[in-house]
Amino acid sequence: MLHRTTGATSTCEEGQRFPRGRCQDCATRHWSLCRSASQEVLAEMNRVRTGSRLLRAGQAVLESGDDSETLFVLESGWAFTFVITPEGRRQILELHLPGDMMGVESMGRAHVSHGVEAATDVSLCVMPYGRIKNIIRQDACMALGFASVIMHDRAMLAERLSSLGRRSAAGRVAHLMLELHTRLKQRNLVNGNECQMPLKQAHIADAVGLTVEHTNRALAEMRKEGLLTLKDGKLTLHNRAALVELAGWDDSYLDMANIP
């Protein structure tokens, strides 16, 4: 169930309330659609957004078939976009970190095409698509920023497809760990070679197209060889050079330096 919000506050299932912050003060805006927005545009964004929403881990942000009317920006926590195959298997298409926009792939369609779920407890900025579209039409920097979000997402999907088709099981897992560490580093959310990794092995397996058993073996093999450790929600990269070689890692697809 989605928790609707109106006015200046929002409510989670347990009744906890928190104030709606200003877009100008948002800690994640430098990694999101609003990274190049002027103060005037940020003020307008603050007027048109409908508030914030808290969800617990495992709750739906969007469900396939929902009306496609809302965009979400992840303020805190982790989430993922996924599809369910006809056989009932889950394939995770994207892993979302703070600042990421969700619901973009369904814009212009009558209904949401993919599900989005909270991997951890999350806070979401809620933005009506129609109002955001009007801002994008009127501001060139916002239009470029929106295009950059789409290009960045497509680059990650292309790299994920390459992983699924060409990398070994250990290479897929190593590549995903390097990708997530790099993305967190861009957000100043790492401590040297360590970072938080709240994903369960089922999330990792569904993101790289492996069974949980194969994923566990790949992680155990890399741990035994001294490449990385994933334990108690923390990822430690012990030998980045070896991981880079194993994964065939090239981080250029994550380069945000030239994004407006």
Side-chain angles (χ1 to χ4, degrees), residues 55-76:
L55 294 177
R56 298 303 184 192
Q59 287 189 291
V61 179
L62 289 167
E63 296 189 63
S64 181
D66 283 350
D67 291 340
S68 181
E69 299 175 348
T70 307
L71 296 175
F72 298 92
V73 172
L74 192 57
E75 296 174 324
S76 65

Side-chain angles (χ1 to χ4, degrees), residues 110-240:
H111 302 289
V112 173
S113 56
H114 303 120
V116 182
E117 183 177 309
T120 67
D121 293 351
V122 299
S123 172
L124 306 167
C125 175
V126 186
M127 301 185 294
Y129 165 53
R131 296 183 182 181
I132 297 301
K133 181 171 66 174
N134 289 335
I135 294 176
I136 292 171
R137 283 174 171 172
Q138 297 169 16
D139 187 88
C141 285
M142 285 294 288
L144 287 170
F146 188 76
S148 75
V149 168
I150 295 174
M151 289 188 294
H152 192 251
D153 288 351
R154 284 179 63 88
M156 286 198 295
L157 282 171
E159 195 66 24
R160 186 67 47 78
L161 181 60
S162 296
S163 259
L164 294 174
R166 294 299 180 186
R167 291 187 176 95
S168 65
R172 295 182 200 182
V173 177
H175 192 277
L176 181 62
M177 296 300 102
L178 286 166
E179 177 182 285
L180 290 170
H181 185 272
T182 300
R183 293 174 63 197
L184 289 167
K185 186 176 181 180
Q186 290 172 336
R187 292 160 167 79
N188 299 316
L189 296 176
V190 302
N191 180 19
N193 64 341
E194 296 182 353
C195 64
Q196 295 300 309
M197 185 62 60
L199 299 177
K200 299 178 180 178
Q201 286 197 10
H203 294 131
I204 298 172
D206 289 349
V208 298
L210 298 171
T211 64
V212 172
E213 292 76 18
H214 275 87
T215 301
N216 184 53
R217 282 199 292 269
L219 287 167
E221 178 184 334
M222 286 186 280
R223 181 174 63 249
K224 183 178 179 180
E225 294 179 1
L227 304 186
L228 62 78
T229 302
L230 180 58
K231 184 178 180 181
D232 298 329
K234 183 175 74 174
L235 171 68
T236 305
L237 306 182
H238 301 296
N239 190 337
R240 185 181 179 90

